[in-house]
Amino acid sequence: MAATRRIVIENCSIATVDVADTEYASGYLVVAGNRIEAVGAGKAPEGLENVVRRIDASDHLVTPGLVNTHHHFYQWITRGLATDHNLFDWLVALYPTWARIDEEMVYAAAQGSLAMMARGGVTTAMDHHYVYPKGTGDLSGAIIRAARETGVRFTLARGSMDRGASDGGLPPDFAVETLQGALAATEATIDEHHDASFDAMTQVAVAPCSPFSVSTELLKQAAELARVKGVRLHTHGSETVQEEKFCRELFGMGPTDYFASTGWLGEDVWMAHCVHMNDSDIAAFARTGTGVAHCPSSNARLAAGIARVPDMLAAGVPVGLGVDGTASNESGELHTELRNALLINRLGAHRETALNARQALRLGTHGGAQVLGRANEIGSLEPGKLADLVLWRLDTLAHAAIADPVTALVFGAAAPVTLSLVGGEPVVENGRLVHVDEDAIARSTRAEARRLARIAARDLSR
Ligand SMILES: [Zn+2]
């Protein structure tokens, strides 16, 4: 049997994001195979065998890889549209275009979304895909293929909608599935792609789109399916004032109570946004272990409001960060969310004590791992965990004069990534993606964006 290959990284600052927030001003990290073997202060131990690579990481900060917990990859090719709208108006404006996506478009958009995030230090990505127009090929398969090619760890939240325009929903009827069709396709995706092992690269979650685009029955049966299969549940929740109003009018209760009534609170559930939560909603999330994907940039762009993240953390709610779809967050990079989570929450009730730089880094790493159900495997730099980590370069114009490395990373501009590893394998080297061609992806995404715009304009003028 071949000996385990080791990578030694030394002379760097390290923020482990372990339970005690252990940091080393100058430390080392040893990767053995796909796991972290050791991390500590000073130089790496002498006499390590089979070291295939030794990295002098002076002037770098090493952190766990960033974990994204909410996204819609297909939106990569509908960015820059409906830029001055609230959520419902934005959805109404974009659904006619989104309803015309096909497999080639979804694949290119997934490549673009993944490349942008990976280049910026994301090592675990997720995609909540819920637009499955009839006869458009294997969209889930195309998304998973793009993630494998990029080299990041990945959760596909297989979404669905069964409340089309004729049932009072927002999407056109031809872009929604039937209740049974959505459940059968979701089950088939789990059977084909979900890997429950410790070092899984691909996992699948069950993810009806939102309370206002799916039927009560789909929510209930989706929760049952996920629990039979042992996979996680994801959806949008409490994003806007209009959603709250919709739930009160239709169901006679707010979104959190509605989720509770359909089996949607639990430690196997995480929800995007959770902006409009009262104290009892937050207490219900804390009591049940329901997680939150906080998406500050998207919430600001759609003027949805400020999620009460400091109150959620104080109550013990697991919170991670999300880019959200890039039709409501054109930057598409998670670093922006570390910074905006911190800044936007300081505009809320808790002012300057709302969040600090270490808490923001924790949301983007360990918090994300928690809500994706993978905190045992990733999210902190500790022996035995998977070697998903990032070397951030802090000696350039942007960061060299900032006093503290974690402050530089979170408060400063997006730091260049010298190296990122996923399971010990390089995904970014010296700022460039290792496995895919960023320039080719830029060209193909532009071509697919233009093709979608042409098809939508042609259909809508008929
Ligand atoms: Zn979303």
Side-chain angles (χ1 to χ4, degrees):
M1 213 178 100
T4 305
R5 292 146 48 100
R6 288 192 170 81
I7 300 171
V8 175
I9 302 165
E10 40 189 4
N11 306 321
C12 44
S13 301
I14 301 174
T16 66
V17 197
D18 65 7
V19 70
D21 259 332
T22 307
E23 294 182 13
Y24 303 105
S26 180
Y28 71 92
L29 202 138
V30 180
V31 173
N34 68 355
R35 309 275 182 108
I36 296 164
E37 185 175 57
V39 55
K43 290 278 187 187
E46 299 281 327
L48 291 169
E49 290 181 4
N50 210 23
V51 174
V52 296
R53 191 170 177 187
R54 187 175 285 274
I55 299 165
D56 176 359
S58 303
D59 296 318
H60 283 75
L61 169 67
V62 180
T63 71
L66 302 183
V67 178
N68 190 42
T69 64
H70 188 65
H71 206 316
H72 313 290
F73 288 175
Y74 74 94
Q75 293 180 9
W76 189 261
I77 56 173
T78 61
R79 293 189 293 160
L81 306 173
T83 51
D84 307 305
H85 293 51
N86 68 35
L87 176 73
F88 275 26
D89 294 344
W90 173 86
L91 289 170
V92 169
L94 287 170
Y95 267 131
T97 299
W98 290 343
R100 287 163 172 86
I101 56 173
D102 63 26
E103 188 177 323
E104 289 70 34
M105 291 172 192
V106 168
Y107 175 67
Q111 284 189 304
S113 302
L114 287 156
M116 191 71 197
M117 283 188 296
R119 206 182 62 155
V122 167
T123 54
T124 297
M126 76 78 75
D127 183 20
H128 182 193
H129 189 82
Y130 53 85
V131 185
Y132 289 89
K134 291 176 185 71
T136 44
D138 181 10
L139 304 188
S140 298
I143 295 162
I144 288 169
R145 180 158 48 95
R148 291 213 175 112
E149 288 166 355
T150 311
V152 296
R153 218 173 287 289
F154 182 59
T155 295
L156 176 70
R158 204 291 181 186
S160 50
M161 302 187 288
D162 69 341
R163 192 193 288 272
S166 63
D167 293 323
L170 298 175
D173 284 347
F174 69 89
V176 306
E177 298 173 281
T178 62
L179 168 70
Q180 289 313 326
L183 289 169
T186 303
E187 182 169 7
T189 305
I190 296 165
D191 290 344
E192 186 176 352
H193 296 290
H194 181 71
D195 178 358
S197 60
F198 187 88
D199 55 0
M201 291 299 287
T202 307
Q203 296 200 329
V204 177
V206 177
C209 182
S210 68
F212 52 86
S213 59
V214 308
S215 64
T216 303
E217 205 44 43
L218 178 51
L219 277 179
K220 283 184 178 166
Q221 293 193 31
E224 285 164 16
L225 172 66
R227 283 165 186 144
V228 167
K229 293 287 180 181
V231 302
R232 297 180 72 73
L233 284 156
H234 180 60
T235 191
H236 294 95
S238 305
E239 183 171 359
T240 62
V241 174
Q242 293 101 313
E243 177 189 332
E244 165 102 23
K245 192 162 167 278
F246 176 94
C247 287
R248 291 208 181 276
E249 278 170 12
L250 232 71
F251 314 122
M253 58 186 115
T256 299
D257 292 333
Y258 178 56
F259 283 127
S261 76
T262 50
W264 270 78
L265 296 186
E267 57 186 21
D268 54 355
V269 181
W270 86 107
M271 283 188 215
H273 305 306
C274 303
V275 172
H276 298 277
M277 302 262 281
N278 60 30
D279 290 348
S280 92
D281 297 333
I282 291 176
F285 270 53
R287 194 170 56 243
T288 56
T290 307
V292 170
H294 176 46
C295 307
S297 298
S298 172
N299 295 156
R301 188 193 186 280
L302 297 171
I306 303 171
R308 297 170 56 190
V309 172
D311 296 326
M312 293 175 188
L313 296 177
V317 176
V319 183
L321 293 180
V323 166
D324 202 2
T326 46
S328 65
N329 177 6
E330 275 74 3
S331 104
E333 53 183 359
L334 195 59
H335 171 273
T336 317
E337 303 311 304
L338 298 182
R339 191 166 187 271
N340 285 353
L342 188 155
L343 296 178
I344 288 174
N345 277 283
R346 288 189 180 186
L347 298 174
H350 297 269
R351 300 292 170 183
E352 69 275 13
T353 62
L355 284 178
N356 62 38
R358 266 89 192 160
Q359 288 173 304
L361 177 61
R362 177 171 291 278
L363 293 178
T365 53
H366 189 265
Q370 270 185 304
V371 306
L372 293 184
R374 303 205 67 178
N376 290 331
E377 301 107 289
I378 58 171
S380 59
L381 302 177
E382 298 178 75
K385 283 197 161 184
L386 294 167
D388 291 14
L389 55 91
V390 180
L391 276 66
W392 307 94
R393 186 175 171 187
L394 297 180
D395 65 344
T396 69
L397 174 65
H399 303 93
I402 301 180
D404 163 73
V406 174
T407 300
L409 178 69
V410 175
F411 279 88
V417 173
T418 295
L419 177 72
S420 90
L421 299 178
V422 174
E425 296 291 331
V427 168
V428 177
E429 289 264 15
N430 294 318
R432 299 292 293 181
L433 293 158
V434 173
H435 304 292
V436 292
D437 179 345
E438 178 178 322
D439 300 322
I441 292 171
R443 287 191 295 275
S444 69
T445 51
R446 181 158 61 182
E448 294 300 327
R450 287 177 176 170
R451 189 164 68 84
L452 176 57
R454 270 198 310 276
I455 291 171
R458 184 197 65 201
D459 286 4
L460 295 171
S461 68
R462 277 180 182 165

